[in-house]
Amino acid sequence: MKIVILSRGPQLYSTQSLLRAGMRRGHQVRIIDHVNCHFTIQKGRMSIFHDGFLVDTPDAIIPRIGSSVTAKGAAVIAQFEAMNMITTVRSMALLQARDKLRCLQKLASCGIDVPKTAYLHNNEHLPAVINQLGGLPVVIKLLESTHGVGVILAETLKTAESTIEVFQKLRERVLLQEFIEESNGADIRVLVVAGKVVAAMKRQAQAGEFRSNLHRGASAEAVRITQQEKNLVIRATKIMGLDIAGVDLLRSERGPLVMEINASPGLEGIETITKVDVAGQVIRYLESRYRLKKEYANQ
Ligand code: ADP
């Protein structure tokens, strides 16, 4: 197969791991930067150029799109889709998963348990909203947050008010969420490939910190997840139209909750901690999609 990895960082762990896994399995793999792509659209003729040169049509793409360039990356994926290429993530699924609010709305409306969440435009009804979430403390999240930056625990009404006020001044949209205290600063990252759970790790925040992001110094270990958690994760990824995803769970008193779904999950933490060759599984998933496509074309 000819595989293109869309990545802005050829040296990044995930990009390198996918590159090596593809080459190990005998494929031609090329990395291109989606931000340096342009494309042309005309009836019967769709083309993609990288650094001004026509990209030789691949069989499959592996988009690794950072959150700062989601829209640009999704446009490039959509062009590859229009050219009938196999992709590990479809453009619409990426856009939907990147929008934390839509993601929670869709999951909850399909019967997936998520932390109770509120979205508000101003502080006018804040005490009532906090009550609806079950009272203080509450977690305040920037809709655009990554690596836990912009995730704040507000223990008092005053803190919640002033935090929301600051974010509003900065024209940032925020979510309020019930604080799942019993998760004790831990969450579970579950990796799904081809609609199956392939690896899971538990991340534990440092002492005095509730955010368990590895970028914030959390520790991690491989973990076995329950059948209930597996079923939840698989259903959630199906609802979001993702065959490959990183799903973050919080273990709460009322059972596992889906906190977030990452459509372009990093591989460094999960591969290093669990020793599972996730990149190899991604390549095998592409191979099976490619085989199916060829069989269908030959019918
Ligand atoms: P980001 O996308 O920036 O990483 P998250 O929503 O994943 O933001 O939150 C960062 C971390 O904060 C999570 O990994 C989790 O440990 C903690 N956290 C987030 N929301 C809650 C919550 N409602 N209750 C308890 N802990 C939470």
Side-chain angles (χ1 to χ4, degrees):
M1 258 195 298
K2 281 189 208 152
I3 300 174
V4 160
I5 302 175
L6 297 176
S7 169
R8 299 225 66 203
Q11 296 317 319
L12 293 176
Y13 177 98
S14 302
T15 308
Q16 281 296 314
S17 185
L18 289 160
L19 176 74
R20 279 195 305 272
M23 294 201 307
R24 250 194 333 264
R25 294 186 63 82
H27 304 297
Q28 274 179 47
V29 191
R30 182 179 169 201
I31 301 168
I32 68 175
D33 179 348
H34 38 283
V35 172
N36 289 339
C37 285
H38 76 265
F39 47 80
T40 56
I41 305 162
Q42 57 176 292
K43 188 176 142 196
R45 189 161 175 178
M46 312 284 273
S47 310
I48 300 202
F49 299 81
H50 180 242
D51 275 339
F53 293 99
L54 184 69
V55 174
D56 188 18
T57 315
D59 299 303
I61 59 165
I62 306 179
R64 300 279 324 152
I65 312 293
S67 55
S68 59
V69 289
T70 300
K72 283 185 184 144
V76 174
I77 302 172
Q79 178 78 358
F80 278 111
E81 284 170 333
M83 295 163 73
N84 202 22
M85 310 287 105
I86 298 166
T87 172
T88 51
V89 60
R90 282 178 296 117
S91 55
M92 285 310 289
L94 175 74
L95 287 172
Q96 191 167 245
R98 278 286 155 84
D99 184 332
K100 283 183 197 229
L101 187 58
R102 262 170 192 256
C103 186
L104 290 169
Q105 283 169 325
K106 178 135 196 190
L107 291 173
S109 67
C110 292
I112 299 287
D113 208 354
V114 298
K116 266 189 254 168
T117 302
Y119 177 67
L120 37 73
H121 296 292
N122 55 49
N123 272 336
E124 206 181 331
H125 303 291
L126 189 59
V129 173
I130 291 176
N131 259 337
Q132 284 152 6
L133 294 178
L136 288 162
V138 286
V139 177
I140 303 176
K141 287 186 188 184
L142 274 185
L143 269 175
E144 310 293 334
S145 90
T146 48
H147 305 326
V149 180
V151 178
I152 290 151
L153 186 64
E155 314 224 30
T156 65
L157 179 61
K158 268 268 145 284
T159 318
E161 266 169 2
S162 44
T163 308
I164 292 169
E165 231 169 72
V166 170
F167 284 148
Q168 272 168 353
K169 268 248 147 49
L170 297 171
R171 299 192 173 281
E172 294 282 359
R173 295 183 303 153
V174 291
L175 293 180
L176 251 67
Q177 224 163 50
E178 66 172 319
F179 177 49
I180 308 300
E181 193 171 4
E182 61 273 24
S183 67
N184 287 322
D187 73 354
I188 314 274
R189 160 60 62 99
V190 185
L191 242 289
V192 171
V193 179
K196 292 197 181 72
V197 170
V198 298
M201 66 176 170
K202 182 175 174 178
R203 300 178 293 201
Q204 180 67 55
Q206 282 181 328
E209 169 65 76
F210 77 103
R211 295 165 297 177
S212 55
N213 303 79
L214 297 181
H215 289 91
R216 311 211 67 81
S219 59
E221 58 181 16
V223 71
R224 283 180 75 88
I225 62 169
T226 65
Q227 194 57 47
Q228 184 196 12
E229 288 167 336
K230 271 190 194 165
N231 295 344
L232 180 75
V233 164
I234 304 287
R235 268 187 59 216
T237 51
K238 283 217 168 91
I239 289 166
M240 298 305 292
L242 295 165
D243 287 342
I244 297 174
V247 181
D248 295 341
L249 298 178
L250 287 175
R251 285 178 164 163
S252 81
E253 273 165 1
R254 63 175 187 275
L257 310 177
V258 174
M259 183 174 56
E260 193 166 30
I261 300 197
N262 194 328
S264 197
L267 302 184
E268 185 168 10
I270 197 92
E271 285 194 340
T272 318
I273 303 293
T274 65
K275 310 280 183 261
V276 174
D277 175 20
V278 179
Q281 308 242 22
V282 170
I283 302 297
R284 277 193 284 275
Y285 159 80
L286 285 180
E287 290 168 359
S288 71
R289 292 267 314 267
Y290 184 60
R291 261 195 311 273
L292 273 177
K293 191 178 166 187
K294 279 180 106 179
E295 276 168 25
Y296 187 72
N298 289 336
Q299 270 175 13

PDB file of all heavy atoms in Angstrom, residues 37-69:
ATOM      1  N   CYS A  37      -0.325  21.954   2.217  1.00  0.00           N
ATOM      2  CA  CYS A  37      -1.030  21.347   1.067  1.00  0.00           C
ATOM      3  C   CYS A  37      -1.994  22.353   0.462  1.00  0.00           C
ATOM      4  O   CYS A  37      -2.592  23.157   1.170  1.00  0.00           O
ATOM      5  CB  CYS A  37      -1.867  20.157   1.532  1.00  0.00           C
ATOM      6  SG  CYS A  37      -0.903  18.691   1.905  1.00  0.00           S
ATOM      7  N   HIS A  38      -2.151  22.298  -0.842  1.00  0.00           N
ATOM      8  CA  HIS A  38      -3.314  22.947  -1.451  1.00  0.00           C
ATOM      9  C   HIS A  38      -3.964  21.917  -2.351  1.00  0.00           C
ATOM     10  O   HIS A  38      -3.346  20.910  -2.696  1.00  0.00           O
ATOM     11  CB  HIS A  38      -2.924  24.237  -2.189  1.00  0.00           C
ATOM     12  CG  HIS A  38      -2.270  24.051  -3.513  1.00  0.00           C
ATOM     13  ND1 HIS A  38      -0.900  24.031  -3.681  1.00  0.00           N
ATOM     14  CD2 HIS A  38      -2.799  23.855  -4.755  1.00  0.00           C
ATOM     15  CE1 HIS A  38      -0.618  23.858  -4.959  1.00  0.00           C
ATOM     16  NE2 HIS A  38      -1.743  23.737  -5.639  1.00  0.00           N
ATOM     17  N   PHE A  39      -5.230  22.154  -2.683  1.00  0.00           N
ATOM     18  CA  PHE A  39      -5.871  21.180  -3.563  1.00  0.00           C
ATOM     19  C   PHE A  39      -6.775  21.851  -4.570  1.00  0.00           C
ATOM     20  O   PHE A  39      -7.172  23.008  -4.397  1.00  0.00           O
ATOM     21  CB  PHE A  39      -6.604  20.092  -2.770  1.00  0.00           C
ATOM     22  CG  PHE A  39      -7.482  20.562  -1.656  1.00  0.00           C
ATOM     23  CD1 PHE A  39      -8.756  21.040  -1.922  1.00  0.00           C
ATOM     24  CD2 PHE A  39      -7.053  20.508  -0.342  1.00  0.00           C
ATOM     25  CE1 PHE A  39      -9.588  21.445  -0.898  1.00  0.00           C
ATOM     26  CE2 PHE A  39      -7.882  20.919   0.694  1.00  0.00           C
ATOM     27  CZ  PHE A  39      -9.141  21.386   0.416  1.00  0.00           C
ATOM     28  N   THR A  40      -7.046  21.144  -5.637  1.00  0.00           N
ATOM     29  CA  THR A  40      -7.927  21.678  -6.682  1.00  0.00           C
ATOM     30  C   THR A  40      -9.114  20.732  -6.840  1.00  0.00           C
ATOM     31  O   THR A  40      -8.995  19.523  -6.664  1.00  0.00           O
ATOM     32  CB  THR A  40      -7.187  21.805  -8.022  1.00  0.00           C
ATOM     33  OG1 THR A  40      -6.642  20.539  -8.367  1.00  0.00           O
ATOM     34  CG2 THR A  40      -6.068  22.835  -7.957  1.00  0.00           C
ATOM     35  N   ILE A  41     -10.255  21.347  -7.144  1.00  0.00           N
ATOM     36  CA  ILE A  41     -11.514  20.606  -7.226  1.00  0.00           C
ATOM     37  C   ILE A  41     -12.128  20.876  -8.585  1.00  0.00           C
ATOM     38  O   ILE A  41     -12.381  22.038  -8.921  1.00  0.00           O
ATOM     39  CB  ILE A  41     -12.486  21.115  -6.121  1.00  0.00           C
ATOM     40  CG1 ILE A  41     -11.833  21.018  -4.743  1.00  0.00           C
ATOM     41  CG2 ILE A  41     -13.815  20.392  -6.171  1.00  0.00           C
ATOM     42  CD1 ILE A  41     -12.516  21.860  -3.687  1.00  0.00           C
ATOM     43  N   GLN A  42     -12.304  19.861  -9.384  1.00  0.00           N
ATOM     44  CA  GLN A  42     -13.105  20.009 -10.601  1.00  0.00           C
ATOM     45  C   GLN A  42     -13.725  18.669 -10.951  1.00  0.00           C
ATOM     46  O   GLN A  42     -13.255  17.626 -10.479  1.00  0.00           O
ATOM     47  CB  GLN A  42     -12.288  20.592 -11.759  1.00  0.00           C
ATOM     48  CG  GLN A  42     -11.055  19.824 -12.124  1.00  0.00           C
ATOM     49  CD  GLN A  42     -10.368  20.428 -13.353  1.00  0.00           C
ATOM     50  OE1 GLN A  42     -10.900  20.371 -14.437  1.00  0.00           O
ATOM     51  NE2 GLN A  42      -9.202  21.003 -13.145  1.00  0.00           N
ATOM     52  N   LYS A  43     -14.777  18.741 -11.732  1.00  0.00           N
ATOM     53  CA  LYS A  43     -15.519  17.518 -12.074  1.00  0.00           C
ATOM     54  C   LYS A  43     -14.569  16.455 -12.626  1.00  0.00           C
ATOM     55  O   LYS A  43     -13.822  16.712 -13.562  1.00  0.00           O
ATOM     56  CB  LYS A  43     -16.589  17.855 -13.109  1.00  0.00           C
ATOM     57  CG  LYS A  43     -17.528  16.718 -13.398  1.00  0.00           C
ATOM     58  CD  LYS A  43     -18.589  17.179 -14.355  1.00  0.00           C
ATOM     59  CE  LYS A  43     -18.926  16.071 -15.329  1.00  0.00           C
ATOM     60  NZ  LYS A  43     -19.660  16.587 -16.466  1.00  0.00           N
ATOM     61  N   GLY A  44     -14.565  15.300 -11.981  1.00  0.00           N
ATOM     62  CA  GLY A  44     -13.751  14.189 -12.475  1.00  0.00           C
ATOM     63  C   GLY A  44     -12.262  14.359 -12.241  1.00  0.00           C
ATOM     64  O   GLY A  44     -11.466  13.517 -12.660  1.00  0.00           O
ATOM     65  N   ARG A  45     -11.886  15.408 -11.569  1.00  0.00           N
ATOM     66  CA  ARG A  45     -10.454  15.608 -11.359  1.00  0.00           C
ATOM     67  C   ARG A  45     -10.179  16.380 -10.058  1.00  0.00           C
ATOM     68  O   ARG A  45     -10.381  17.584  -9.984  1.00  0.00           O
ATOM     69  CB  ARG A  45      -9.892  16.389 -12.538  1.00  0.00           C
ATOM     70  CG  ARG A  45      -8.396  16.441 -12.489  1.00  0.00           C
ATOM     71  CD  ARG A  45      -7.871  16.780 -13.818  1.00  0.00           C
ATOM     72  NE  ARG A  45      -6.440  16.947 -13.727  1.00  0.00           N
ATOM     73  CZ  ARG A  45      -5.703  17.222 -14.754  1.00  0.00           C
ATOM     74  NH1 ARG A  45      -6.248  17.372 -15.939  1.00  0.00           N
ATOM     75  NH2 ARG A  45      -4.407  17.354 -14.612  1.00  0.00           N
ATOM     76  N   MET A  46      -9.757  15.624  -9.059  1.00  0.00           N
ATOM     77  CA  MET A  46      -9.446  16.231  -7.765  1.00  0.00           C
ATOM     78  C   MET A  46      -7.960  15.977  -7.515  1.00  0.00           C
ATOM     79  O   MET A  46      -7.485  14.856  -7.677  1.00  0.00           O
ATOM     80  CB  MET A  46     -10.239  15.547  -6.643  1.00  0.00           C
ATOM     81  CG  MET A  46     -11.720  15.367  -6.923  1.00  0.00           C
ATOM     82  SD  MET A  46     -12.609  16.899  -6.746  1.00  0.00           S
ATOM     83  CE  MET A  46     -12.958  16.869  -5.002  1.00  0.00           C
ATOM     84  N   SER A  47      -7.239  17.007  -7.134  1.00  0.00           N
ATOM     85  CA  SER A  47      -5.796  16.838  -6.935  1.00  0.00           C
ATOM     86  C   SER A  47      -5.357  17.475  -5.627  1.00  0.00           C
ATOM     87  O   SER A  47      -5.959  18.450  -5.169  1.00  0.00           O
ATOM     88  CB  SER A  47      -5.018  17.498  -8.071  1.00  0.00           C
ATOM     89  OG  SER A  47      -5.529  17.094  -9.320  1.00  0.00           O
ATOM     90  N   ILE A  48      -4.274  16.924  -5.090  1.00  0.00           N
ATOM     91  CA  ILE A  48      -3.675  17.508  -3.878  1.00  0.00           C
ATOM     92  C   ILE A  48      -2.209  17.785  -4.153  1.00  0.00           C
ATOM     93  O   ILE A  48      -1.504  16.965  -4.763  1.00  0.00           O
ATOM     94  CB  ILE A  48      -3.792  16.555  -2.675  1.00  0.00           C
ATOM     95  CG1 ILE A  48      -5.275  16.276  -2.395  1.00  0.00           C
ATOM     96  CG2 ILE A  48      -3.091  17.118  -1.450  1.00  0.00           C
ATOM     97  CD1 ILE A  48      -5.593  15.810  -1.013  1.00  0.00           C
ATOM     98  N   PHE A  49      -1.763  18.943  -3.713  1.00  0.00           N
ATOM     99  CA  PHE A  49      -0.368  19.335  -3.901  1.00  0.00           C
ATOM    100  C   PHE A  49       0.263  19.560  -2.530  1.00  0.00           C
ATOM    101  O   PHE A  49      -0.390  20.067  -1.624  1.00  0.00           O
ATOM    102  CB  PHE A  49      -0.284  20.629  -4.715  1.00  0.00           C
ATOM    103  CG  PHE A  49      -0.874  20.497  -6.095  1.00  0.00           C
ATOM    104  CD1 PHE A  49      -2.253  20.590  -6.291  1.00  0.00           C
ATOM    105  CD2 PHE A  49      -0.056  20.267  -7.197  1.00  0.00           C
ATOM    106  CE1 PHE A  49      -2.802  20.453  -7.549  1.00  0.00           C
ATOM    107  CE2 PHE A  49      -0.601  20.133  -8.465  1.00  0.00           C
ATOM    108  CZ  PHE A  49      -1.979  20.218  -8.646  1.00  0.00           C
ATOM    109  N   HIS A  50       1.525  19.158  -2.433  1.00  0.00           N
ATOM    110  CA  HIS A  50       2.269  19.401  -1.188  1.00  0.00           C
ATOM    111  C   HIS A  50       3.515  20.205  -1.538  1.00  0.00           C
ATOM    112  O   HIS A  50       4.253  19.797  -2.450  1.00  0.00           O
ATOM    113  CB  HIS A  50       2.658  18.071  -0.527  1.00  0.00           C
ATOM    114  CG  HIS A  50       3.417  18.258   0.748  1.00  0.00           C
ATOM    115  ND1 HIS A  50       4.704  17.829   0.938  1.00  0.00           N
ATOM    116  CD2 HIS A  50       3.038  18.856   1.901  1.00  0.00           C
ATOM    117  CE1 HIS A  50       5.093  18.137   2.157  1.00  0.00           C
ATOM    118  NE2 HIS A  50       4.101  18.756   2.759  1.00  0.00           N
ATOM    119  N   ASP A  51       3.698  21.322  -0.869  1.00  0.00           N
ATOM    120  CA  ASP A  51       4.810  22.225  -1.211  1.00  0.00           C
ATOM    121  C   ASP A  51       4.804  22.560  -2.706  1.00  0.00           C
ATOM    122  O   ASP A  51       5.865  22.695  -3.321  1.00  0.00           O
ATOM    123  CB  ASP A  51       6.161  21.577  -0.843  1.00  0.00           C
ATOM    124  CG  ASP A  51       6.501  21.815   0.615  1.00  0.00           C
ATOM    125  OD1 ASP A  51       5.943  22.762   1.199  1.00  0.00           O
ATOM    126  OD2 ASP A  51       7.314  21.050   1.168  1.00  0.00           O
ATOM    127  N   GLY A  52       3.625  22.596  -3.304  1.00  0.00           N
ATOM    128  CA  GLY A  52       3.507  22.961  -4.721  1.00  0.00           C
ATOM    129  C   GLY A  52       3.605  21.795  -5.687  1.00  0.00           C
ATOM    130  O   GLY A  52       3.375  21.965  -6.884  1.00  0.00           O
ATOM    131  N   PHE A  53       3.940  20.598  -5.176  1.00  0.00           N
ATOM    132  CA  PHE A  53       4.081  19.435  -6.068  1.00  0.00           C
ATOM    133  C   PHE A  53       2.878  18.496  -5.930  1.00  0.00           C
ATOM    134  O   PHE A  53       2.412  18.258  -4.807  1.00  0.00           O
ATOM    135  CB  PHE A  53       5.364  18.654  -5.753  1.00  0.00           C
ATOM    136  CG  PHE A  53       6.600  19.437  -6.066  1.00  0.00           C
ATOM    137  CD1 PHE A  53       7.287  20.107  -5.058  1.00  0.00           C
ATOM    138  CD2 PHE A  53       7.062  19.534  -7.379  1.00  0.00           C
ATOM    139  CE1 PHE A  53       8.422  20.850  -5.345  1.00  0.00           C
ATOM    140  CE2 PHE A  53       8.200  20.277  -7.672  1.00  0.00           C
ATOM    141  CZ  PHE A  53       8.883  20.939  -6.663  1.00  0.00           C
ATOM    142  N   LEU A  54       2.445  17.949  -7.047  1.00  0.00           N
ATOM    143  CA  LEU A  54       1.312  17.032  -7.047  1.00  0.00           C
ATOM    144  C   LEU A  54       1.638  15.810  -6.169  1.00  0.00           C
ATOM    145  O   LEU A  54       2.718  15.226  -6.299  1.00  0.00           O
ATOM    146  CB  LEU A  54       1.042  16.565  -8.490  1.00  0.00           C
ATOM    147  CG  LEU A  54      -0.183  15.678  -8.679  1.00  0.00           C
ATOM    148  CD1 LEU A  54      -1.482  16.457  -8.446  1.00  0.00           C
ATOM    149  CD2 LEU A  54      -0.190  15.074 -10.087  1.00  0.00           C
ATOM    150  N   VAL A  55       0.718  15.455  -5.280  1.00  0.00           N
ATOM    151  CA  VAL A  55       0.929  14.277  -4.419  1.00  0.00           C
ATOM    152  C   VAL A  55       0.492  13.034  -5.197  1.00  0.00           C
ATOM    153  O   VAL A  55      -0.642  12.965  -5.688  1.00  0.00           O
ATOM    154  CB  VAL A  55       0.104  14.395  -3.112  1.00  0.00           C
ATOM    155  CG1 VAL A  55       0.201  13.118  -2.277  1.00  0.00           C
ATOM    156  CG2 VAL A  55       0.554  15.599  -2.301  1.00  0.00           C
ATOM    157  N   ASP A  56       1.402  12.082  -5.301  1.00  0.00           N
ATOM    158  CA  ASP A  56       1.109  10.814  -5.949  1.00  0.00           C
ATOM    159  C   ASP A  56      -0.024  10.140  -5.153  1.00  0.00           C
ATOM    160  O   ASP A  56       0.104   9.973  -3.936  1.00  0.00           O
ATOM    161  CB  ASP A  56       2.400   9.960  -5.892  1.00  0.00           C
ATOM    162  CG  ASP A  56       2.259   8.701  -6.699  1.00  0.00           C
ATOM    163  OD1 ASP A  56       1.352   8.640  -7.547  1.00  0.00           O
ATOM    164  OD2 ASP A  56       3.066   7.775  -6.464  1.00  0.00           O
ATOM    165  N   THR A  57      -1.123   9.795  -5.819  1.00  0.00           N
ATOM    166  CA  THR A  57      -2.316   9.321  -5.108  1.00  0.00           C
ATOM    167  C   THR A  57      -2.007   8.109  -4.218  1.00  0.00           C
ATOM    168  O   THR A  57      -1.596   7.065  -4.718  1.00  0.00           O
ATOM    169  CB  THR A  57      -3.411   8.921  -6.118  1.00  0.00           C
ATOM    170  OG1 THR A  57      -3.466   9.947  -7.087  1.00  0.00           O
ATOM    171  CG2 THR A  57      -4.744   8.749  -5.449  1.00  0.00           C
ATOM    172  N   PRO A  58      -2.223   8.239  -2.894  1.00  0.00           N
ATOM    173  CA  PRO A  58      -1.961   7.090  -2.003  1.00  0.00           C
ATOM    174  C   PRO A  58      -3.180   6.158  -1.965  1.00  0.00           C
ATOM    175  O   PRO A  58      -4.223   6.458  -2.549  1.00  0.00           O
ATOM    176  CB  PRO A  58      -1.756   7.750  -0.653  1.00  0.00           C
ATOM    177  CG  PRO A  58      -2.579   8.983  -0.700  1.00  0.00           C
ATOM    178  CD  PRO A  58      -2.649   9.428  -2.126  1.00  0.00           C
ATOM    179  N   ASP A  59      -3.030   5.022  -1.284  1.00  0.00           N
ATOM    180  CA  ASP A  59      -4.171   4.129  -1.064  1.00  0.00           C
ATOM    181  C   ASP A  59      -4.891   4.495   0.227  1.00  0.00           C
ATOM    182  O   ASP A  59      -6.081   4.276   0.366  1.00  0.00           O
ATOM    183  CB  ASP A  59      -3.678   2.672  -0.971  1.00  0.00           C
ATOM    184  CG  ASP A  59      -2.994   2.249  -2.252  1.00  0.00           C
ATOM    185  OD1 ASP A  59      -3.639   2.329  -3.310  1.00  0.00           O
ATOM    186  OD2 ASP A  59      -1.800   1.882  -2.205  1.00  0.00           O
ATOM    187  N   ALA A  60      -4.114   5.019   1.173  1.00  0.00           N
ATOM    188  CA  ALA A  60      -4.708   5.303   2.483  1.00  0.00           C
ATOM    189  C   ALA A  60      -3.986   6.473   3.132  1.00  0.00           C
ATOM    190  O   ALA A  60      -2.811   6.720   2.855  1.00  0.00           O
ATOM    191  CB  ALA A  60      -4.593   4.069   3.372  1.00  0.00           C
ATOM    192  N   ILE A  61      -4.712   7.171   3.995  1.00  0.00           N
ATOM    193  CA  ILE A  61      -4.073   8.264   4.752  1.00  0.00           C
ATOM    194  C   ILE A  61      -4.268   8.043   6.254  1.00  0.00           C
ATOM    195  O   ILE A  61      -5.248   7.446   6.686  1.00  0.00           O
ATOM    196  CB  ILE A  61      -4.612   9.656   4.347  1.00  0.00           C
ATOM    197  CG1 ILE A  61      -6.144   9.765   4.578  1.00  0.00           C
ATOM    198  CG2 ILE A  61      -4.261   9.990   2.909  1.00  0.00           C
ATOM    199  CD1 ILE A  61      -6.647  11.202   4.535  1.00  0.00           C
ATOM    200  N   ILE A  62      -3.279   8.530   6.993  1.00  0.00           N
ATOM    201  CA  ILE A  62      -3.378   8.515   8.462  1.00  0.00           C
ATOM    202  C   ILE A  62      -3.239   9.971   8.920  1.00  0.00           C
ATOM    203  O   ILE A  62      -2.140  10.496   9.013  1.00  0.00           O
ATOM    204  CB  ILE A  62      -2.250   7.672   9.109  1.00  0.00           C
ATOM    205  CG1 ILE A  62      -2.223   6.261   8.527  1.00  0.00           C
ATOM    206  CG2 ILE A  62      -2.410   7.649  10.624  1.00  0.00           C
ATOM    207  CD1 ILE A  62      -1.120   5.367   9.091  1.00  0.00           C
ATOM    208  N   PRO A  63      -4.370  10.638   9.150  1.00  0.00           N
ATOM    209  CA  PRO A  63      -4.279  12.032   9.594  1.00  0.00           C
ATOM    210  C   PRO A  63      -3.856  12.135  11.055  1.00  0.00           C
ATOM    211  O   PRO A  63      -4.396  11.435  11.915  1.00  0.00           O
ATOM    212  CB  PRO A  63      -5.704  12.563   9.405  1.00  0.00           C
ATOM    213  CG  PRO A  63      -6.396  11.559   8.533  1.00  0.00           C
ATOM    214  CD  PRO A  63      -5.751  10.246   8.858  1.00  0.00           C
ATOM    215  N   ARG A  64      -2.872  12.969  11.327  1.00  0.00           N
ATOM    216  CA  ARG A  64      -2.467  13.292  12.705  1.00  0.00           C
ATOM    217  C   ARG A  64      -2.613  14.806  12.806  1.00  0.00           C
ATOM    218  O   ARG A  64      -1.655  15.538  12.575  1.00  0.00           O
ATOM    219  CB  ARG A  64      -0.994  12.892  12.935  1.00  0.00           C
ATOM    220  CG  ARG A  64      -0.684  11.433  12.747  1.00  0.00           C
ATOM    221  CD  ARG A  64      -1.036  10.583  13.926  1.00  0.00           C
ATOM    222  NE  ARG A  64      -0.792  11.274  15.171  1.00  0.00           N
ATOM    223  CZ  ARG A  64      -1.457  11.035  16.309  1.00  0.00           C
ATOM    224  NH1 ARG A  64      -2.394  10.129  16.353  1.00  0.00           N
ATOM    225  NH2 ARG A  64      -1.185  11.706  17.390  1.00  0.00           N
ATOM    226  N   ILE A  65      -3.824  15.248  13.108  1.00  0.00           N
ATOM    227  CA  ILE A  65      -4.139  16.678  13.016  1.00  0.00           C
ATOM    228  C   ILE A  65      -4.139  17.297  14.413  1.00  0.00           C
ATOM    229  O   ILE A  65      -4.932  16.898  15.267  1.00  0.00           O
ATOM    230  CB  ILE A  65      -5.523  16.888  12.349  1.00  0.00           C
ATOM    231  CG1 ILE A  65      -5.656  16.061  11.056  1.00  0.00           C
ATOM    232  CG2 ILE A  65      -5.803  18.370  12.119  1.00  0.00           C
ATOM    233  CD1 ILE A  65      -4.765  16.458   9.918  1.00  0.00           C
ATOM    234  N   GLY A  66      -3.275  18.279  14.628  1.00  0.00           N
ATOM    235  CA  GLY A  66      -3.223  18.966  15.919  1.00  0.00           C
ATOM    236  C   GLY A  66      -4.436  19.869  16.084  1.00  0.00           C
ATOM    237  O   GLY A  66      -5.047  20.296  15.096  1.00  0.00           O
ATOM    238  N   SER A  67      -4.773  20.177  17.353  1.00  0.00           N
ATOM    239  CA  SER A  67      -6.016  20.919  17.586  1.00  0.00           C
ATOM    240  C   SER A  67      -5.958  22.357  17.071  1.00  0.00           C
ATOM    241  O   SER A  67      -6.994  22.967  16.829  1.00  0.00           O
ATOM    242  CB  SER A  67      -6.370  20.889  19.069  1.00  0.00           C
ATOM    243  OG  SER A  67      -5.291  21.367  19.812  1.00  0.00           O
ATOM    244  N   SER A  68      -4.745  22.904  16.886  1.00  0.00           N
ATOM    245  CA  SER A  68      -4.678  24.298  16.428  1.00  0.00           C
ATOM    246  C   SER A  68      -4.985  24.426  14.941  1.00  0.00           C
ATOM    247  O   SER A  68      -5.214  25.528  14.452  1.00  0.00           O
ATOM    248  CB  SER A  68      -3.296  24.884  16.736  1.00  0.00           C
ATOM    249  OG  SER A  68      -2.317  24.109  16.092  1.00  0.00           O
ATOM    250  N   VAL A  69      -4.971  23.314  14.209  1.00  0.00           N
ATOM    251  CA  VAL A  69      -5.225  23.395  12.754  1.00  0.00           C
ATOM    252  C   VAL A  69      -6.316  22.399  12.335  1.00  0.00           C
ATOM    253  O   VAL A  69      -6.274  21.858  11.234  1.00  0.00           O
ATOM    254  CB  VAL A  69      -3.929  23.159  11.930  1.00  0.00           C
ATOM    255  CG1 VAL A  69      -2.977  24.320  12.055  1.00  0.00           C
ATOM    256  CG2 VAL A  69      -3.248  21.858  12.331  1.00  0.00           C
TER     257      VAL A  69
END
